[in-house]
Amino acid sequence: MSIMSRRDAGKLMAGAGAALALGRRGLESARLEAVERIDSVVKGVQIGAQSYSFRDRPLEAAIDAYREVGLGEAELYTGHVEPSEDRTKREALRQWRLTTPLSHFHEVREKFDNAGIVLYAYNYSFRNDFTDDEIERGFQMAEAMGVKNITASANVSVAPRVDSYASKYKIMVGFHGHDQTSIRDEFSSPETFERAMHGTSEYIGVNLDIGHFTAAGYDPVDYLRQHHDRIVTLHIKDRKKNHGPNTPFGQGDTNIAGVLRLLREEHWKIPANIEYEYNEEIKGLDTVAEMKKCYAYCKQALEA
């Protein structure tokens, strides 16, 4: 029997290590594939939730709540990722964003994968006080989480700066509107969205919140019909017109059923994410119980 050379032994050890690593990756892949994915597609329409709906609990408990409600698609609120103690201290929050290892965001993605929930978008709101590095870091976070969409309650005027990074990373940004129609640099109206998209790339679009849009005096069904190709996600909530309050689904003026049925009829693959906010007007409600009611309302609208 010949004596093995040091080089041959090294090759053998390297090969064994590679095989072991491949085996581990294979086992991990098999484990993830074995996770039962939650199916919350109703009549071809993906119903999910903005995790802000579960802002009364930390990330792991919020993921458990998704599973309890039966929702299989998520738009992730930054408050579930960033340390709460730094959110009120602007420079501390900026430094956390710039210095936190991207492995942190890999781990966040794994939590959703392990729960059988599709992580579709990250909600990272670009504001005028963001440095360029802080803007770019949002795209790096999204990339680390494996998502191709960012939603943002941003200033209108920041859109050109955001666009340069959206084009670089090929990640779609959907700007989110409220009903602050008196503030020119806040998203609220069709005109504000048009202003942001004018002259920018295909990676700049809209996260249409149909409740806020209704409260601001506009028709979400009509806007969806005209601009569906630029809409990244929908936020599903009910509000009264004329800047009125949030309400339980079916008690406000928002045409939730019309929006969902238009998605169904046109086969537009735009996630409809429930955003539970009427607890701000009605105190003492149970979040999971109310989210189940919201989901049931959406299913009933689509199955009619």
Side-chain angles (χ1 to χ4, degrees):
M1 182 181 296
S2 62
I3 298 174
M4 183 181 295
S5 71
R6 181 178 298 176
R7 178 179 296 179
D8 290 338
K11 287 180 179 179
L12 182 60
M13 291 174 65
L20 180 60
L22 183 60
R24 286 173 178 165
R25 287 199 296 272
L27 287 171
E28 179 71 8
S29 176
R31 183 181 63 78
L32 291 176
E33 288 176 2
V35 172
E36 183 179 356
R37 300 296 181 181
I38 299 171
D39 183 5
S40 56
V41 176
V42 182
K43 299 296 183 180
V45 177
Q46 175 67 72
I47 306 295
Q50 161 50 283
S51 77
Y52 180 75
S53 300
F54 301 110
R55 60 196 174 278
D56 59 349
R57 62 201 67 198
L59 177 61
E60 289 78 6
I63 290 173
D64 289 341
Y66 271 89
R67 292 186 59 81
E68 186 174 350
V69 176
L71 296 169
E73 179 268 327
E75 175 189 337
L76 180 58
Y77 162 56
T78 49
H80 277 132
V81 178
E82 298 173 344
S84 59
E85 64 270 18
D86 285 344
R87 292 182 63 79
T88 57
K89 301 174 184 177
R90 186 66 188 88
E91 188 55 36
L93 177 58
R94 178 181 284 116
Q95 289 307 311
W96 183 92
R97 289 169 173 168
L98 295 176
T99 60
T100 296
L102 292 177
S103 59
H104 174 74
F105 302 95
H106 297 155
E107 292 166 3
V108 168
R109 172 58 184 266
E110 286 179 2
K111 294 179 191 295
F112 282 92
D113 285 344
N114 293 342
I117 299 166
V118 173
L119 184 56
Y120 181 80
Y122 185 46
N123 176 222
Y124 186 83
S125 294
F126 308 101
R127 307 296 293 181
N128 278 334
D129 68 348
F130 275 42
T131 62
D132 287 348
D133 286 344
E134 194 174 9
I135 290 175
E136 183 169 22
R137 191 62 168 177
F139 290 92
Q140 293 169 349
M141 292 172 181
E143 191 174 61
M145 287 186 282
V147 301
K148 299 300 293 181
N149 301 281
I150 290 174
T151 58
S153 295
N155 297 114
V156 178
S157 56
V158 82
R161 294 173 62 205
V162 171
D163 184 41
S164 64
Y165 295 105
S167 300
K168 174 181 176 179
Y169 287 90
K170 294 181 169 44
I171 290 176
M172 190 78 183
V173 176
F175 287 118
H176 175 273
H178 294 91
D179 67 321
Q180 299 165 292
T181 52
S182 63
I183 305 177
R184 177 173 170 77
D185 205 26
E186 295 292 337
F187 287 95
S188 62
S189 66
E191 183 275 333
T192 57
F193 290 118
E194 176 58 32
R195 201 158 16 105
M197 292 187 288
H198 181 73
T200 53
S201 74
E202 61 184 319
Y203 293 102
I204 297 299
V206 177
N207 166 207
L208 186 66
D209 185 308
I210 67 173
H212 294 326
F213 204 65
T214 297
Y218 302 99
D219 180 358
V221 174
D222 182 61
Y223 191 84
L224 173 61
R225 184 176 289 113
Q226 292 186 48
H227 302 286
H228 59 90
D229 58 327
R230 299 297 290 270
I231 295 177
V232 177
T233 60
L234 296 169
H235 282 181
I236 307 298
K237 66 163 63 78
D238 205 351
R239 280 190 68 178
K240 292 284 190 179
K241 292 179 179 178
N242 301 316
H243 309 284
N246 294 291
T247 71
F249 285 20
Q251 297 180 26
D253 296 316
T254 309
N255 190 357
I256 296 174
V259 166
L260 295 175
R261 289 168 186 165
L262 184 58
L263 291 179
R264 179 190 67 190
E265 292 159 9
E266 298 295 340
H267 308 288
W268 292 329
K269 301 304 180 185
I270 304 170
N273 290 331
I274 298 166
E275 188 173 42
Y276 168 58
E277 284 194 319
Y278 58 82
N279 64 323
E280 296 174 5
E281 283 80 7
I282 307 172
K283 304 301 181 184
L285 299 176
D286 178 84
T287 298
V288 170
E290 295 305 311
M291 284 294 287
K292 287 180 178 179
K293 292 177 186 177
C294 294
Y295 185 27
Y297 183 93
C298 294
K299 287 192 285 188
Q300 184 177 15
L302 285 164
E303 290 168 353

